Amino acid sequence: MIHAGNGKRQVNSLLSELNIPHISKWTQLARQNVAAQTSHITQMAAVYGDKKWSIYVFPKQPISKGASDITGISISGSRMYHHGKVVTPSSISCAIEGFLSFIQKVPKPVFLAGHNI
């Protein structure tokens, strides 16, 4: 659970546990999300104690340069990259099924993080 006043630090700590880079551009990320109300989810992750789940999601529309600069996620043809390394994406329906399966196996709360949402 994220507590007021230290949410950024907690989010970055959880992202580190999932091998997801820290978010250092919070203001730009917020501005990008406001400007891109039609963006698609490109990554989902959840953690509970030592249990971790993470998946990349292939978006159905292009990722803006601004979102790519912030998240490190990019698309070239049918390939998805995270900071230049090829990753294996899933469909959003498979990602949601995986997330629901994860949260059904652990007590609440569960933390969900996503890029470009």
Side-chain angles (χ1 to χ4, degrees):
M1 177 175 286
I2 304 301
H3 300 282
N6 55 355
K8 291 178 187 178
R9 188 177 62 232
Q10 287 181 314
V11 168
N12 280 330
S13 175
L14 291 169
L15 294 176
S16 288
E17 291 180 30
L18 294 165
N19 294 320
I20 298 170
H22 285 195
I23 299 171
S24 59
K25 302 175 185 176
W26 286 91
T27 304
Q28 289 180 3
L29 184 60
R31 185 171 45 242
Q32 184 68 29
N33 284 339
V34 169
Q37 295 292 320
T38 60
S39 60
H40 288 202
I41 294 172
T42 55
Q43 185 178 20
M44 295 173 64
V47 63
Y48 183 84
D50 62 349
K51 295 174 177 42
K52 300 171 188 169
W53 174 86
S54 179
I55 194 166
Y56 290 94
V57 178
F58 200 91
K60 293 184 178 182
Q61 67 181 36
I63 299 172
S64 71
K65 178 171 178 359
S68 184
D69 289 346
I70 292 168
T71 65
I73 295 174
S74 61
I75 304 290
S76 180
S78 62
R79 291 191 175 230
M80 185 176 211
Y81 299 85
H82 187 237
H83 293 291
K85 295 180 182 176
V86 175
V87 295
T88 303
S90 180
S91 68
I92 188 64
S93 59
C94 288
I96 291 170
E97 287 175 17
F99 175 68
L100 293 175
S101 176
F102 177 85
I103 64 170
Q104 289 172 351
K105 296 175 186 174
V106 298
K108 305 319 177 260
V110 173
F111 174 76
L112 173 68
H115 289 303
N116 200 25
I117 55 175

